[in-house]
Amino acid sequence: MKTDFSNTISFIFEMAASRMSQRKKSLNLTNEEIAGWKIGQEVIQEGYVDPTGQGEDEPEITKKAVFEKTQFTPQMISRILNANIKAPKGRNSPNPYLFPTAKKGNKGYLEQIKETLKFTSTSEIMWGNHNSNDDFYFGLFCALIADLKDTEHFSTIQECLKDFIPYSKFLAYSETTDTSVPLEYLIGYSKFELDYFLSDSEKIAIYRLFEFIKYDFIDDFQEFISYPVKIKNYQDWTFKFIKKYLEKFTSKYFIPLLEKNVPESTSLGLRVYSIAKDDIAQSDFIDWASLSRSPESAGHWLTAGEKDDVEVSDQLLSASKEYIDKLEEIEIDLFGDFKEQYKKAYPENLLMEDIIRLEDEFQKEQLQKMEDEIELQEEIDYQGNQELESFLEQQAEQDKMIEELEKQLSQDEDSKSHGTQ
């Protein structure tokens, strides 16, 4: 089955679009100008100079106008510069290979853009140049690995990645399915936790592998793009045959490079992979024995050294875990902390652990915000109740005073009435 290279093609198209957009910005050109249209200013009203010198001059009024069009359109230039290869609704894409394919003998969009954006060659637009930074090559490297995951080549890739201890450990755990008890009890990780630990360690392993072989990878790619791959009558690069180009690069350069860097049997990562597999077997045995054996039969299961076999297996398991932890420390001492290096080099590429941490922090912030709002509302309600109680007390006092005043006035009226009589 042939590889479709969807990730790699998407990455290459986006990088090409980014190069063109940056050049457009630096040259301060419009899409019409890139398309070769002649743009000028059309005079709507001539300027006027007041002959009396009274200062009633009037400036010339102009508007931007198109004086000549070409077969290239600014709409297509926009699609290309935005890496838009999607098909309009109900139709086929006009540029599935980023640049519409030109008819034989005619100049196409790729050549037009090369001229107006002043690239040295069409190859520079498509592949970059010798000054391309590590970000381009690392992105290309990751995209190729992602596209080769479901191919026969991935076994070679995985052998290279196993050289990294955290990846080899979590890979061994994830490959284990035939156990007498749930895996979570054996290794201490839930399925979700294991998946994200494996995902994170794989990203670091890919970055580490790239750092080890990046100069050879860059040299190979530069050698590959030095001479166009001739297909049919096409003598120059064209994205129409991008899959064929990538197939050739993969078979001739990429896979042979990885095969040369498959770790030897002395690799710390491969050693841990084997130990982790054995650890699962030991854990499975311990849990099985604990569940299936009766306490009365404990003395019947002894090793050659006449010790309880479960106890010995448990000691072996503890020793191997300590050994793996120590090997991880040694790996960092030997080669550096690639996890921290990756985070510093690509802070935008969050690991799952960072995503979970940020989500937890966000949830805590939201919870704290909610608690603060409730506390504030309670304070407002309390103040409101206090003010209401104070108002009611004042009102009651006023009512009492009015009542006493009315009573006093009533008594005065009665006194006057008796006096008159």
Side-chain angles (χ1 to χ4, degrees):
M1 186 178 74
K2 289 189 175 181
T3 308
D4 66 1
F5 291 105
S6 58
N7 292 286
T8 310
I9 291 172
S10 178
F11 173 77
I12 289 172
F13 283 3
E14 288 175 4
M15 293 303 295
S18 176
R19 284 184 211 103
M20 292 181 283
S21 295
Q22 290 175 9
R23 187 65 61 89
K24 170 190 172 180
K25 185 177 180 181
S26 66
L27 295 176
N28 194 27
L29 296 178
T30 64
N31 289 342
E32 288 81 4
E33 290 168 327
I34 297 172
W37 290 15
K38 291 185 179 179
I39 309 296
Q41 298 293 325
E42 181 181 340
V43 177
I44 298 176
Q45 179 179 307
E46 298 285 348
Y48 171 74
V49 178
D50 184 2
T52 65
Q54 297 300 311
E56 296 184 3
D57 300 350
E58 294 182 1
E60 180 182 76
I61 299 176
T62 63
K63 71 173 183 178
K64 190 175 182 180
V66 177
F67 292 115
E68 185 180 335
K69 295 183 179 180
T70 65
Q71 75 269 31
F72 307 109
T73 68
Q75 292 80 10
M76 183 56 72
I77 296 294
S78 176
R79 285 180 65 89
I80 294 170
L81 268 58
N82 286 284
N84 181 6
I85 61 174
K86 295 179 180 178
K89 190 174 182 179
R91 295 190 294 168
N92 295 324
S93 172
N95 60 324
Y97 309 110
L98 190 62
F99 301 98
T101 304
K103 292 182 179 179
K104 187 176 180 181
N106 293 342
K107 183 170 74 171
Y109 276 89
L110 180 57
E111 292 75 21
Q112 173 66 21
I113 290 174
K114 177 185 80 75
E115 293 175 8
T116 53
L117 291 183
K118 304 186 185 307
F119 283 96
T120 57
S121 65
T122 56
S123 175
E124 184 186 357
I125 296 176
M126 297 167 63
W127 311 114
N129 54 37
H130 292 276
N131 296 320
S132 294
N133 57 30
D134 282 1
D135 288 349
F136 168 75
Y137 291 110
F138 180 58
L140 179 64
F141 188 82
C142 292
L144 284 168
I145 288 179
D147 285 327
L148 295 171
K149 270 198 170 183
D150 296 324
T151 70
E152 69 277 10
H153 298 304
F154 190 64
S155 59
T156 301
I157 296 171
Q158 196 167 73
E159 284 302 302
C160 293
L161 300 182
K162 280 183 188 176
D163 192 41
F164 182 52
I165 290 177
Y167 176 73
S168 62
K169 177 176 66 175
F170 290 117
L171 178 64
Y173 291 158
S174 69
E175 289 178 343
T176 303
T177 56
D178 185 19
T179 56
S180 60
V181 295
L183 188 63
E184 183 174 353
Y185 294 102
L186 297 182
I187 62 175
Y189 300 108
S190 67
K191 179 67 167 62
F192 170 75
E193 290 175 322
L194 181 57
D195 286 345
Y196 87 69
F197 279 131
L198 180 61
S199 173
D200 282 355
S201 61
E202 182 182 57
K203 289 179 182 177
I204 307 302
I206 291 172
Y207 170 72
R208 179 177 182 268
L209 176 60
F210 173 75
E211 286 296 308
F212 284 165
I213 66 174
K214 72 177 178 181
Y215 295 113
D216 289 335
F217 178 73
I218 292 172
D219 288 344
D220 285 348
F221 187 74
Q222 291 296 343
E223 179 181 328
F224 173 71
I225 65 173
S226 296
Y227 303 98
V229 176
K230 296 178 182 179
I231 300 176
K232 297 181 180 180
N233 293 324
Y234 289 87
Q235 303 297 309
D236 202 355
W237 295 113
T238 171
F239 278 152
K240 181 178 181 179
F241 302 114
I242 181 70
K243 287 185 182 180
K244 292 186 180 296
Y245 300 154
L246 293 174
E247 285 171 4
K248 183 162 186 178
F249 175 73
T250 298
S251 61
K252 185 177 179 180
Y253 294 94
F254 191 51
I255 296 303
L257 174 62
L258 294 177
E259 288 174 341
K260 287 193 301 184
N261 286 274
V262 169
E264 298 178 355
S265 58
T266 54
S267 160
L268 297 182
L270 294 182
R271 194 182 307 177
V272 166
Y273 178 79
S274 177
I275 294 173
K277 287 278 193 180
D278 291 339
D279 281 355
I280 294 172
Q282 293 294 332
S283 298
D284 190 32
F285 165 71
I286 292 170
D287 284 307
W288 170 82
S290 300
L291 292 171
S292 63
R293 294 178 182 176
S294 65
E296 294 78 11
S297 65
H300 296 287
W301 309 98
L302 302 177
T303 65
E306 297 188 351
K307 289 188 177 182
D308 182 80
D309 58 351
V310 172
E311 183 181 340
V312 172
S313 294
D314 190 50
Q315 291 175 351
L316 178 61
L317 189 62
S318 297
S320 66
K321 285 181 177 178
E322 292 176 5
Y323 181 54
I324 290 175
D325 290 340
K326 188 62 180 178
L327 287 182
E328 285 195 60
E329 294 176 9
I330 293 173
E331 183 178 60
I332 292 175
D333 290 338
L334 286 173
F335 304 108
D337 191 338
F338 278 93
K339 181 177 181 180
E340 290 304 313
Q341 291 177 31
Y342 176 80
K343 286 185 173 184
K344 288 180 181 179
Y346 301 98
E348 70 282 0
N349 295 348
L350 292 178
L351 297 173
M352 183 61 72
E353 67 174 35
D354 295 321
I355 294 173
I356 292 174
R357 175 179 54 79
L358 290 174
E359 287 177 348
D360 288 344
E361 290 176 359
F362 176 75
Q363 293 295 336
K364 289 178 182 178
E365 288 176 2
Q366 293 298 105
L367 182 60
Q368 186 62 53
K369 184 179 179 182
M370 187 183 301
E371 292 175 350
D372 291 344
E373 289 176 351
I374 292 172
E375 186 178 343
L376 177 61
Q377 188 61 49
E378 289 176 346
E379 181 66 26
I380 292 172
D381 293 342
Y382 175 77
Q383 291 291 340
N385 290 334
Q386 291 292 98
E387 291 174 1
L388 179 59
E389 289 177 6
S390 177
F391 172 76
L392 292 175
E393 288 175 359
Q394 292 175 7
Q395 190 67 40
E397 290 177 2
Q398 289 178 1
D399 291 344
K400 185 177 181 181
M401 291 175 62
I402 292 172
E403 184 180 348
E404 290 177 353
L405 181 60
E406 288 177 345
K407 185 177 180 181
Q408 184 66 42
L409 289 173
S410 176
Q411 290 175 353
D412 290 346
E413 289 294 328
D414 290 344
S415 296
K416 286 180 182 180
S417 175
H418 290 302
T420 301
Q421 291 176 1

